[in-house]
Amino acid sequence: MAKIVTMGEIMLRLSTPNNEKFIQADEFDINYGGGEANVAVSLANYGHEADFVSALPKNPIGDAAIATLRKYNVGTKHISRSGERVGIYFLETGSAMRASNVVYDRAHSSISTAKVEEFDFDEIFKDADWFHFTGITPAVSDSAAELTEAALKAAKKAGVTVSVDLNFRKKLWSSEKAKKIMTNLMQYVDVCIGNEEDAEKVLGFKPGNTDVTAGELELSGYVDIFNQMCDQFKFKYVISSLRESFSASNNDWSACIMDGSTREFYHSKKYHVTPIVDRVGGGDSFAAGVICGLCDKKDFKSALEFAVAASALKHTIPGDFNLVTREDVESLAGGDGSGRVQR
């Protein structure tokens, strides 16, 4: 099994129960989650050694976040206990034609004020095989962007494979700033993961006439931009999840990948996911599936099928974390999507 390091922010998630709108809610369901933490939980669940690097305040809420990670066998020894607060996000879960809505309350969170000198990156990447980050952490603050680049430099110095999930968040930064920061960070990346919005808003590549809101995919457009991305950034693999969103409760889910050396393109099988229980964390479960598959030395097509099956299953689980087993994923990827009771 591989040793995988992820770095980012774990937040307190407060979500409305029973698909209520914020204005209706008298209480919230409590979970913890965040892009890179979600990836670490999935990888630990599949049996890999997953370490999460972050900053959390030295208070009971920070303690609770760390306890949650430890519950799922994620390494927490490289979490700096600094700063003033845990970031929060509020989730109003949509249904049918009503979209979900996220409100962030994460200004001045611990990771946004953390300094490079709080982390011993030589120790963090000792014996590591893989480092994963997302476009969310650099968006949180300028100092978090500096921290991300410092980590990337150390990872490459240590000979670690690096993956990114581009993860554009318009509520955190503009497309213009995302392009400026993230284009620079791509020099350290081996495996690039994202979706059609990420490719356009973060790196400036638009895949043809794809319109996910209308449920229309044009795969030839992905072939074109993947070739351009491999030409410009020399990625080993470029990967995109493909969500055809018919409503908040009804999506088709698949993905595509390109081998940067051979330029071979592959589109996975498609899953019809309805009703969706919780789509938050779906992309993170996909990224974790890709990393798991490649670390397992699967061929890139099998790695993609593992990732798509894993993330399809995540849509059936409430909360940020994908808590399915490796056996669950391999069963679905192998064709068993019946949902029959296991006795």
Side-chain angles (χ1 to χ4, degrees):
M1 293 295 178
K3 177 181 176 181
I4 299 143
V5 178
T6 75
M7 186 180 80
E9 180 170 29
I10 184 168
M11 293 177 289
L12 174 64
R13 164 178 153 166
L14 301 177
S15 50
T16 60
N18 304 314
N19 297 100
E20 291 178 346
K21 289 183 65 62
F22 287 133
I23 199 168
Q24 294 176 279
D26 296 316
E27 60 185 7
F28 289 111
D29 293 328
I30 296 174
N31 297 99
Y32 289 89
E36 302 87 351
N38 299 343
V39 170
V41 168
S42 282
L43 289 165
N45 205 37
Y46 299 143
H48 291 288
E49 181 183 350
D51 284 349
F52 181 59
V53 179
S54 190
L56 285 167
K58 198 169 184 178
N59 64 31
I61 306 302
D63 294 343
I66 289 175
T68 299
L69 292 166
R70 288 176 175 163
K71 175 182 178 181
Y72 297 111
N73 298 313
V74 173
T76 60
K77 65 181 179 181
H78 299 301
I79 294 179
S80 173
R81 304 307 301 271
S82 63
E84 299 180 359
R85 64 184 300 253
V86 175
I88 301 171
Y89 83 95
F90 298 86
L91 174 65
E92 180 184 274
T93 304
S95 180
M97 70 289 298
R98 177 169 61 85
S100 296
N101 189 23
V102 169
V103 176
Y104 289 123
D105 177 18
R106 59 199 300 184
H108 311 295
S109 65
S110 290
I111 194 65
S112 73
T113 58
K115 305 299 182 185
V116 174
E117 50 269 24
E118 294 177 33
F119 303 91
D120 183 349
F121 285 119
D122 290 337
E123 178 63 26
I124 287 169
F125 291 116
K126 183 179 179 181
D127 300 323
D129 299 290
W130 197 288
F131 175 53
H132 179 73
F133 75 106
T134 79
I136 299 173
T137 304
V140 171
S141 69
D142 290 343
S143 61
E146 293 172 8
L147 178 65
T148 303
E149 185 164 17
L152 286 166
K153 288 178 177 178
K156 297 310 290 185
K157 180 182 176 183
V160 173
T161 299
V162 173
S163 61
V164 64
D165 190 335
L166 297 174
N167 268 345
F168 178 68
R169 296 290 184 266
K170 64 183 179 182
K171 292 184 178 182
L172 296 180
W173 62 357
S174 67
S175 177
E176 291 72 25
K177 187 167 185 179
K179 287 176 184 176
K180 179 180 178 181
I181 300 296
M182 294 296 288
T183 298
N184 172 58
L185 298 182
M186 291 306 102
Q187 64 183 298
Y188 308 105
V189 172
D190 301 295
V191 178
C192 182
I193 305 167
N195 61 27
E196 71 294 324
E197 181 184 27
D198 300 330
E200 181 179 2
K201 301 295 186 182
V202 177
L203 298 179
F205 298 97
K206 181 172 173 56
N209 294 317
T210 288
D211 183 354
V212 294
T213 60
E216 298 173 357
L217 296 179
E218 185 181 281
L219 289 178
S220 62
Y222 286 88
V223 175
D224 182 46
I225 67 165
F226 281 12
N227 273 310
Q228 293 179 53
M229 292 166 74
C230 288
D231 287 342
Q232 183 170 343
F233 300 114
K234 311 303 180 187
F235 295 135
K236 291 182 180 178
Y237 296 104
V238 183
I239 305 159
S240 179
S241 57
L242 303 171
R243 184 188 297 277
E244 298 166 81
S245 186
F246 306 109
S247 76
S249 312
N250 181 0
N251 291 178
D252 277 352
W253 183 253
S254 62
C256 54
I257 188 170
M258 177 174 282
D259 183 316
S261 58
T262 66
R263 302 302 172 96
E264 184 178 359
F265 180 87
Y266 176 73
H267 180 214
S268 75
K269 71 173 66 173
K270 183 183 294 187
Y271 295 91
H272 186 62
V273 188
T274 186
I276 294 171
V277 173
D278 192 337
R279 60 170 281 181
V280 176
D284 304 322
S285 64
F286 175 72
V290 167
I291 296 167
C292 181
L294 294 176
C295 286
D296 288 350
K297 308 301 181 185
K298 296 181 187 292
D299 65 82
F300 73 96
K301 296 177 183 178
S302 298
L304 188 72
E305 293 290 0
F306 184 90
V308 175
S311 51
L313 286 168
K314 165 60 192 77
H315 287 70
T316 71
I317 299 172
D320 270 48
F321 298 155
N322 191 18
L323 301 176
V324 297
T325 66
R326 181 186 286 265
E327 290 73 24
D328 292 333
V329 178
E330 290 174 344
S331 177
L332 180 58
D336 184 4
S338 64
R340 290 175 61 87
V341 176
Q342 302 299 305
R343 300 185 189 275

